[in-house]
Amino acid sequence: MIVIREKSAFLIYPNSFLNSLLMCGIVGYTGPREAYPIVINGLKRLEYRGYDSTGVALLNGGLKVYKKKGRVADLENFIIGENLHSNIGIGHTRWATHGEPNDRNAHPHTSASGKLAMIHNGIIENYAQIKKELLNKGYHFTSDTDTEVLLNFIEDIKNNNECNLEEAVRVALKRITGAYCILLIDEDTPDTIIAARKGSPLVIGVGKGEHFLGSDATPMLEYTKEVVYVNDYELAIVKPDELILKNLGNEKITPFVTKLDMELAAIEKGGYDHFMLKEIFEQPSTIYDCLRGRLDAAAGQIKMSGVDNNIEAFKNASRIIIVACGTSWHAGLVAEYVIEELCRIPVEVEYASEFRYRNPIINKGDIILAISQSGETADTLVAIENAKKQGAIIFGIVNVVGSSIARMSDGGAYTHAGPEIGVASTKAFTGQLAVLMMMALQIGKVRGTITNKLFSQLLFELDAVPEKVEALLKNADQLKMIAEKYKDATDALFLGRGYNFPIALEGALKLKEISYIHAEGYPAAEMKHGPIALVTEILPVVFVATKDSYHEKIISNMQEIKARRGKVIAIITEGDEVTPTLADDVFFVPPAHEIMAPLLSCVPLQLLSYYMGVAKGVDVDKPRNLAKSVTVE
Ligand code: AGP
């Protein structure tokens, strides 16, 4: 019996230790349709997860595997003219960790017998030991990957134990350590895909007489919105008209089917040149979606089930430790300023990659806030796993529904920004800020550390953010002109104070990752302690200088730069008449309470980095060396 479960706020899932994850794209299909078009188009939708190399495996009177270094389009060209008829197929896009990106390390891998093909997302930590055992048995390997080792380990068990493939997979998975999501096909069972996961995501789409598999739901959305999230240590035997789910103890598990409300259009570019630009312009609606059903300014209330269900813990919290990476870490820094101001709870913001390796002090009453767009960032996963072992409560702020951090958290809140395809995080960032603002307001109210007057004022301020973002986006072309002017810069500085200091850091990161221009973010007042030595007449200095309690001081910092003939670009508030007399270029944002300023001031910086990247001919959706959810140790 299959239970239909509507999308929920933040279901608590039992979950196990998760180690480092590869982040690759995985697609599978079995059913009456031609498999190749489904698999290859599915890979295109997942290419943002990694695109060093790619490959497909089909069964059509025998196993056929096509794979090569490069992107999905390169693979398509590589196999033009081949007989690709098959009703079953698996496909993979890779972001390399074991073995450099090349043809032979691309997935799928085939077993020694040539009858099995497998794709894998994850890292097998004890693969060297297993490889040694297999080499001693006379096995040869064509690649440097852990995946090929696992596949031959499975085949070796199947041959020596004279068991079926399913049983061999179960035995092998109990022997290995590390993280995996694997799909296997076998010439001897030409309609069946065997899949399993631990630590790497796996979703199975349920169709009529057909099944789809993927690292997330995007490859299957155009075919079905009924999906099963496979949990760790579960194994799936997938046939066109049958889905059997078991644990590694060979006990059957009832699959829970979740109905998704993601639309396919949401993952198309929607007429924009790049996903990044589309996602920047989606922010009025994504911020609105994040607030919808939670913020009711007129009624003067916020309803967040994840927070409300844990409100006592927040009310009595002695400290909040925020763990995150990259842009999500910048959201955490904004949260530190806002939560300490409104809730009077000490907040520490930790880089997850540092927090997981040092020996942090975690006290009873500490709440760990994990912020992550993908919900699959290994450093953040392990950081909260370690904290959980020390008794901390984990609260996740995540964008991808059903992701590993969501499942590992004791409670949480989704940012509801929809799939973020561009590698640079934009709409997910403002979604994180919107959630954090609501949390701070709700907790401050419960703790009595915020007056009713300020609470109500900030509710209306937050409620007005989507409209204000919509308004400032209308002037996006001004940033295109500024970008053209400074596109040949080799360095840039981003300066801000108070709530805008984290936005200066975020602006610098955006410029680095999208235009490859070196950029640094600094507290504006810190310039005099050294960095001002960098100022020359060709160095662009971006000030995030919206009207706030620091405004006069940041004007002085601007004057210090101008005195040294630096170029000043300033993000300022409509009505500011002083800054335009100082700055070389300005961009106005609508007035807002200083606490809400980050939700507005970050948007022009997103656009500035986008237009500078485009002006420099960068593939802004897939910048070099990066991938969407950078989830390797
Ligand atoms: C942001 O633009 C970057 N792509 C990157 O810093 C990202 O924020 C970081 O890898 C964290 O990812 P997460 O939010 O999915 O955990």
Side-chain angles (χ1 to χ4, degrees), residues 40-324:
I40 205 77
N41 289 327
L43 291 178
K44 288 176 185 170
R45 297 201 197 292
L46 289 175
E47 220 172 1
Y48 65 91
R49 293 177 65 90
Y51 36 80
D52 292 320
S53 56
T54 184
V56 297
L58 304 165
L59 282 174
N60 160 19
L63 179 62
K64 290 188 176 175
V65 176
Y66 306 96
K67 61 181 189 174
K68 75 187 302 311
K69 182 179 178 183
R71 297 194 166 166
V72 177
D74 301 322
L75 177 68
E76 277 186 303
N77 294 332
F78 176 59
I79 52 181
I80 283 178
E82 291 288 320
N83 171 6
L84 301 171
H85 165 66
S86 172
N87 299 117
I88 182 171
I90 56 177
H92 184 273
T93 58
R94 182 171 184 248
W95 192 64
T97 50
H98 274 93
E100 65 173 50
N102 57 31
D103 293 359
R104 62 193 184 82
N105 286 334
H107 300 213
H109 290 283
T110 46
S111 62
S113 70
K115 298 179 75 168
L116 304 182
M118 185 168 90
I119 55 179
H120 167 222
N121 178 11
I123 291 181
I124 308 303
E125 292 188 336
N126 61 336
Y127 87 100
Q129 172 57 36
I130 295 170
K131 183 168 186 174
K132 197 166 155 220
E133 290 170 16
L134 292 172
L135 287 167
N136 292 340
K137 288 185 174 182
Y139 280 84
H140 299 288
F141 294 91
T142 58
S143 79
D144 314 318
T145 66
D146 52 346
T147 307
E148 190 185 7
V149 171
L150 175 57
L151 177 58
N152 281 303
F153 184 44
I154 289 167
E155 184 161 77
D156 185 58
I157 292 168
K158 180 169 180 281
N159 297 339
N160 293 342
N161 299 13
E162 293 174 6
C163 60
N164 67 20
L165 182 60
E166 175 198 328
E167 183 54 23
V169 169
R170 229 192 321 275
V171 170
L173 294 183
K174 286 185 212 169
R175 178 71 206 280
I176 62 167
T177 59
Y180 58 80
C181 167
I182 56 172
L183 301 191
L184 267 116
I185 56 177
D186 175 1
E187 270 184 10
D188 297 341
T189 50
D191 67 347
T192 304
I193 296 175
I194 291 187
R197 75 151 275 179
K198 173 183 169 276
S200 293
L202 173 62
V203 183
I204 299 178
V206 182
K208 290 185 175 33
E210 58 186 359
H211 284 95
F212 307 80
L213 300 93
S215 321
D216 64 35
T218 45
M220 55 197 77
L221 264 181
E222 60 196 285
Y223 306 105
T224 179
K225 289 186 184 166
E226 296 195 352
V227 299
V228 174
Y229 288 105
V230 179
N231 287 308
D232 283 350
Y233 301 109
E234 290 179 357
L235 183 143
I237 299 92
V238 188
K239 298 172 181 290
D241 50 8
E242 187 180 27
L243 164 58
I244 300 168
L245 214 47
K246 294 184 176 180
N247 60 25
L248 294 188
N250 201 18
E251 293 152 340
K252 281 199 173 184
I253 298 165
T254 305
F256 277 98
V257 178
T258 302
K259 273 189 180 173
L260 286 177
D261 63 6
M262 267 202 289
E263 291 306 323
L264 181 60
I267 60 174
E268 296 296 351
K269 287 184 191 169
Y272 289 94
D273 291 342
H274 298 98
F275 281 113
M276 183 180 175
L277 189 61
K278 171 175 173 275
E279 288 151 9
I280 290 171
F281 275 84
E282 280 180 336
Q283 289 178 113
S285 58
T286 53
I287 296 169
Y288 173 75
D289 286 344
C290 184
L291 303 174
R292 184 160 45 100
R294 294 165 161 166
L295 174 71
D296 184 341
Q301 64 182 15
I302 289 172
K303 277 190 208 142
M304 296 181 82
S305 55
V307 173
D308 300 339
N309 296 343
N310 295 285
I311 199 64
E312 284 309 307
F314 281 109
K315 190 175 174 184
N316 305 316
S318 47
R319 182 175 56 156
I320 291 177
I321 301 172
I322 297 175
V323 291

Side-chain angles (χ1 to χ4, degrees), residues 325-328 372-374 377 423-425 509-510 513 630:
C325 303
T327 287
S328 299
S372 173
Q373 186 286 128
S374 62
T377 296
V423 164
S425 190
L509 174 63
K510 283 283 147 320
E513 63 176 335
V630 183

Side-chain angles (χ1 to χ4, degrees), residues 1-6 226 255-259:
M1 185 263 288
I2 282 188
V3 177
I4 298 277
R5 174 175 56 202
E6 296 301 325
E226 296 195 352
F256 277 98
V257 178
T258 302
K259 273 189 180 173

